[in-house]
Amino acid sequence: MQLLQANRDALLKPLQTVAGIVERRHTMPILANILLRKEGNKIAFVATDLEVQITTHADFGVGDDVESTTVAARKLLDFVRALPAANEVKLKLQDGKLGIQSGRSRLELQTLNGSEYPTVSVPESWNVSFTMPQKALRKLFGMVHFSMAQQDIRYYLNGTLMVFEPGMVRAVATDGHRLAHAAEDIEGIQSSSEVILPRKTVLEVQRLLDDSDEPVNIDVSASQIRFTFGDIELISKLVEGKFPDFKRVIPSDYTRHFNVNREALQSSLHIASILMTDKLKGIKLNLENNLLQMKYINADQENAQDEIEIDYSFEPLSVGFNVTYLQDVLSMAKTDEVIWSVKPDVNASALITLPDEKHFKYVVMPMRI
């Protein structure tokens, strides 16, 4: 039975949309597959890893039949991707195998029954529901995602906190050494609540969202969150646990502020990073007489130095930081300058903010060098 017929590019789009969450290592063989669910000319493409599920739809089904099957996601995607852009592609299901034909190219893949695919169940009701522009949510996650932990035993740090308040949605991420906070003013939220999104969910939503004013609908329950935009639905389980109190971490009493040119600071940090190893990423920053001086010495006693003119007339301060933590925030920022706030204490965190982003705050802990 023929399932669908489509132009190669038209078929590639939904496959790329859902295949991103398919893990190469999996606990169940069927999780290496995507579900193809046909109802007349409507085709649903579904992928899940049991934590996150992505569904998208297309209108190139053939015939009025209702059918479903699952097939290896990577093999199907790689084959379609390898075809010439203008080619027509046909998918046929016969004798438990999926045949893919395009011109003289053919591929036959084993399938598993679609009824056995472990789709995520959706709650009957949602506690929070609202809509925001896709570019606003993409920006929100983009301003904090680099601060998420990776494979931390404190599993709640391997994700992003979303805080919903009347008139505002916040995103906060921390790995215990630095913290990023961003927020967007949004109408339509009636009550306050907060949830922790898994790292994978945040990165997938970022990947799939457009930089447009088109809406994304967000629904939140006690255990799940759902993002619906365009032809895409992404459902994710939430992370259980207590996220750190970010309001206590963000300094509010700093009185020493100075602006620094973002590109100049990026350049200086890059010069120092040339000599760095994975184990030695700390750089010494000296603030004195309207200068920001940087110095790095590696294990071979090679050294890098640079300095930037700033408006700093306070007493001298010398403090060390992880270069990667500084580079991450500078790469995210698009402003000409960043605002740096410090305290006359080598053990105090630095606060980095942006001139045109009133809600963005980046806190980075110092390190001993």
Side-chain angles (χ1 to χ4, degrees):
M1 184 190 75
Q2 186 167 342
L3 292 180
L4 63 85
Q5 179 171 341
N7 178 271
R8 175 261 195 186
D9 287 350
L11 178 56
L12 189 60
K13 183 178 178 181
L15 291 176
Q16 289 177 323
T17 295
V18 302
I21 64 167
V22 176
E23 299 284 359
R24 296 189 182 276
R25 296 181 179 179
H26 40 77
T27 55
M28 302 164 55
I30 203 167
L31 292 180
N33 290 8
I34 58 171
L35 170 66
L36 304 177
R37 189 169 55 215
K38 176 184 177 299
E39 297 181 7
N41 72 327
K42 298 285 186 182
I43 298 280
F45 298 78
V46 186
T48 185
D49 65 357
L50 301 182
E51 300 291 328
V52 183
Q53 176 176 296
I54 302 177
T55 304
T56 189
H57 299 83
D59 295 331
F60 39 61
V62 175
D64 298 326
D65 308 81
V66 175
E67 186 62 74
S68 68
T69 190
T70 76
V71 65
R74 298 292 176 188
K75 292 176 182 177
L76 178 58
L77 176 60
D78 289 346
F79 179 75
V80 174
R81 187 183 279 143
L83 297 172
N87 276 28
E88 285 290 309
V89 185
K90 297 178 182 179
L91 268 63
K92 295 182 178 180
L93 185 63
Q94 188 171 359
D95 299 329
K97 292 184 179 181
L98 185 70
I100 308 107
Q101 178 182 343
S102 180
R104 297 182 179 180
S105 301
R106 286 170 171 76
L107 189 70
E108 197 172 72
L109 298 175
Q110 289 286 356
T111 63
L112 293 173
N113 198 312
S115 62
E116 299 176 4
Y117 198 74
T119 54
V120 175
S121 59
V122 179
E124 294 183 0
S125 62
W126 303 92
N127 301 332
V128 177
S129 295
F130 65 99
T131 299
M132 63 189 297
Q134 290 190 38
K135 67 179 183 182
L137 181 58
R138 190 179 186 207
K139 174 185 173 185
L140 189 66
F141 285 158
M143 298 184 82
V144 304
H145 77 275
F146 51 85
S147 291
M148 292 187 291
Q150 297 188 52
Q151 299 180 335
D152 197 296
I153 58 172
R154 298 164 294 179
Y155 53 89
Y156 50 85
L157 297 184
N158 301 317
T160 292
L161 175 73
M162 287 194 80
V163 182
F164 310 106
E165 305 169 1
M168 180 178 290
V169 56
R170 303 177 190 265
V172 186
T174 181
D175 60 7
H177 303 287
R178 35 88 176 266
L179 178 146
H181 168 282
E184 288 285 333
D185 297 320
I186 297 294
E187 298 301 324
I189 303 176
Q190 306 301 323
S191 59
S192 299
S193 63
E194 58 183 53
V195 296
I196 305 174
L197 275 61
R199 175 186 181 87
K200 187 173 185 177
T201 300
V202 173
L203 298 180
E204 280 299 312
V205 171
Q206 270 190 280
R207 179 179 71 89
L208 295 171
L209 287 172
D210 290 329
D211 191 20
S212 71
D213 290 317
E214 292 299 309
V216 50
N217 299 312
I218 302 172
D219 303 298
V220 188
S221 72
S223 60
Q224 289 183 348
I225 188 167
R226 178 174 68 184
F227 300 92
T228 310
F229 48 99
D231 293 324
I232 299 172
E233 177 192 71
L234 187 150
I235 302 172
S236 171
K237 291 184 179 180
L238 298 172
V239 178
E240 297 181 359
K242 179 64 176 175
F243 202 82
D245 185 352
F246 65 91
K247 292 182 179 179
R248 292 183 60 185
V249 175
I250 299 173
S252 58
D253 59 346
Y254 284 12
T255 57
R256 300 185 176 192
H257 316 285
F258 61 91
N259 287 26
V260 57
N261 182 277
R262 183 180 66 88
E263 290 187 356
L265 184 54
Q266 270 188 308
S267 176
S268 294
L269 295 175
H270 177 69
I271 290 170
S273 68
I274 294 171
L275 303 181
M276 290 186 177
T277 64
D278 290 338
K279 293 183 178 180
L280 296 173
K281 284 187 171 291
I283 189 170
K284 179 77 77 172
L285 304 184
N286 298 310
L287 300 170
E288 185 176 9
N289 297 330
N290 293 321
L291 286 177
L292 171 58
Q293 300 171 322
M294 280 158 283
K295 186 173 183 179
Y296 176 79
I297 303 175
N298 65 16
D300 296 324
Q301 297 304 302
E302 298 172 321
N303 71 85
Q305 300 182 49
D306 201 2
E307 59 184 32
I308 302 171
E309 292 185 359
I310 57 172
D311 184 12
Y312 183 88
S313 56
F314 308 102
E315 64 186 65
L317 179 65
S318 181
V319 61
F321 292 102
N322 183 305
V323 166
T324 300
Y325 296 165
L326 301 180
Q327 288 177 317
D328 284 344
V329 68
L330 295 174
S331 296
M332 176 279 300
K334 305 304 178 186
T335 54
D336 292 335
E337 294 186 319
V338 298
I339 304 168
W340 202 303
S341 303
V342 295
K343 197 173 184 179
D345 180 356
V346 295
N347 297 313
S349 302
L351 172 64
I352 296 175
T353 54
L354 304 177
D356 300 325
E357 297 289 344
K358 62 180 180 178
H359 296 308
F360 178 75
K361 294 176 174 60
Y362 185 69
V363 182
V364 55
M365 294 288 293
M367 63 183 298
R368 292 185 178 181
I369 299 176

